[in-house]
Amino acid sequence: MIRVQQGDFNITDEYQALLTKNDCGAVVTFVGRVRDFGGDGIPFLLQHYPGMTENVLASIEKEALRRWPLLASTIIHRVGELNVDDQIVFVGVSSAHRKAAFQACEFMIDVLKTQAPFWKKEGAHWVDAKDTDQQAAGTWLNSTKD
Amino acid sequence: MNSDNASEDNASINILYFASLAESLGCECESFNLACEKVSVADLKQQLAARGEQWQRLINAPSTRCAVNQSLAEDEQVLASNDEVAFFPPVTGG
C-alpha cells in the first residue's frame, strides 16, 4: 500500500495493518524523521512530483514483492511543511521469516531515497543529495534481479 | 477535421521544473512547441540551454534528471505530442 500525505501517521496502526492472519512470523518497520541540517529548527518544506511520486513508490513496492515472499507492505511519505523531529517516511513489511522482512524493508527505503521525486527545503535552502544514498540504492539495483 | 490545427496541437509538450531547478530558472511549468518531428530529450535540452547561461548550466548539469510522462528518460528518447517532460535535481526524500 502506498500513501503520500500531509498528515502524520501512527506506527501502532501501521503495524496492525501489516499483520496478516496466517504465517506472519516477522514484521519490520522503518520510520524516517526530519533531521536538522543546520537551520536551527526552522521548518522544512517537502515538495514532490504528484503522479510520478505514486508511480515510483508503487514500482518500488512491486519490485520488493517480486524479490521477497512478503505478506504485506506499506510505504507512507509525508509532504508539505514539516519540522525537525517530525516523522517523514514509513516503510513496513511482514513476512513469514525475518530475513526477507529485513531485506525488503531496507531495499524499499534505500531505493525510495534515490528514485522517488521528493525534495527537502530547509528554510530557503534546498537540501543536497548524498553520495552514500546513491551507493546504497546502487547496491540493490545492481544486484541480481532473477 | 482541420489538419493545420491538429498539427499545431501535436507539436506542443508540457515541461515541468521542480525544486531548486524551478527556483533558479524562475519557471515551474511551460508549454513548449517542438517545431519539428523526432525531437529527442537531447534536442530539447539543447534548445532550452540556448536561452542563456543559467539555463545552459542547469539543464546540462550531470545531476539534472529528466522524466518523460513521469518515468526517468534518457537523452535518446524521442518526444511525442502532449508529452509531459520534467526536469529536476537529485531527489532528497526519505
Side-chain angles (χ1 to χ4, degrees):
Chain A
M1 188 200 56
I2 301 300
R3 297 212 310 265
V4 178
Q5 61 188 45
Q6 291 202 4
D8 202 1
F9 50 83
N10 181 299
I11 300 168
T12 308
D13 294 344
E14 299 310 327
Y15 169 74
Q16 287 294 331
L18 289 165
L19 303 182
T20 54
K21 280 184 181 150
N22 300 310
D23 209 24
C24 182
V27 178
V28 170
T29 63
F30 170 82
V31 175
R33 300 169 78 242
V34 179
R35 287 187 299 123
D36 192 330
F37 286 80
D40 291 330
I42 56 174
F44 277 73
L45 183 70
L46 247 293
Q47 193 189 37
H48 76 124
Y49 181 177
M52 183 169 174
T53 305
E54 289 82 357
N55 292 346
V56 171
L57 296 183
S59 70
I60 291 170
E61 184 178 50
K62 192 176 164 193
E63 178 62 15
L65 289 164
R66 195 181 72 76
R67 291 190 185 204
W68 291 280
L70 305 180
L71 296 167
S73 61
T74 303
I75 304 175
I76 303 170
H77 204 295
R78 295 180 67 193
V79 293
E81 191 170 299
L82 292 170
N83 290 290
V84 172
D85 292 343
D86 278 351
Q87 302 184 128
I88 177 170
V89 62
F90 176 92
V91 177
V93 299
S94 60
S95 185
H97 303 289
R98 70 184 181 281
K99 192 168 182 183
F102 272 123
Q103 288 185 347
C105 188
E106 191 173 18
F107 165 84
M108 289 202 284
I109 186 63
D110 281 353
V111 177
L112 180 155
K113 291 209 59 127
T114 61
Q115 308 278 306
F118 294 101
W119 300 275
K120 281 193 195 89
K121 190 181 189 187
E122 183 184 34
H125 171 72
W126 291 96
V127 172
D128 288 327
K130 288 190 299 187
D131 287 343
T132 49
D133 288 338
Q134 204 65 44
Q135 287 155 12
T139 305
W140 290 111
L141 298 173
N142 294 329
S143 70
T144 41
K145 292 177 179 173
D146 298 324
Chain B
M1 292 291 286
N2 183 322
S3 61
D4 284 341
N5 282 346
S7 66
E8 276 177 27
D9 289 343
N10 285 347
S12 174
I13 58 169
N14 286 314
I15 310 180
L16 308 176
Y17 305 90
F18 287 95
S20 56
L21 209 61
E23 255 179 32
S24 300
L25 296 174
C27 182
E28 290 186 349
C29 62
E30 62 175 313
S31 180
F32 188 88
N33 200 329
L34 290 178
C36 62
E37 288 185 1
K38 306 248 174 180
V39 175
S40 67
V41 168
D43 297 331
L44 174 63
K45 285 163 78 171
Q46 198 175 8
Q47 290 182 50
L48 294 173
R51 288 174 171 178
E53 190 275 329
Q54 182 90 318
W55 284 82
Q56 142 77 23
R57 187 173 60 79
L58 292 169
I59 292 294
N60 288 331
S63 61
T64 296
R65 309 281 197 272
C66 178
V68 176
N69 298 326
Q70 306 188 350
S71 294
L72 286 176
E74 301 296 329
D75 277 355
E76 299 73 33
Q77 184 159 341
V78 174
L79 301 171
S81 57
N82 298 317
D83 274 352
E84 179 177 291
V85 178
F87 291 100
F88 47 83
V91 302
T92 55

